Amino acid sequence: PVLFIHNKGDGSVPYTESEIMAEKYPDVFSLWLTDGEGHVKSYKQNAEEYIDRVDAFFTDALAGE
């Protein structure tokens, strides 16, 4: 499993690129689009939710083994 976390305001890589990958491989990819700005800034802008979502992702992924 792969979790994409992508700011909608990413000026380096459009979030639509992550949407394309998630739509192409829905059985493998999960996508969380954040409302923040900048590239690799999701954690700084959404720290508490980021931790919760990443923790839940790993918990679910490891339960599926």
Side-chain angles (χ1 to χ4, degrees), residues 11-43:
S12 297
V13 179
Y15 73 89
T16 52
E17 294 299 314
S18 290
E19 286 181 323
I20 291 167
M21 291 298 293
E23 289 172 8
K24 189 171 183 175
Y25 303 102
D27 56 327
V28 179
F29 291 99
S30 299
L31 174 61
W32 172 35
L33 293 177
T34 62
D35 290 323
E37 297 293 324
H39 189 67
V40 299
K41 303 289 187 206
S42 293
Y43 176 77

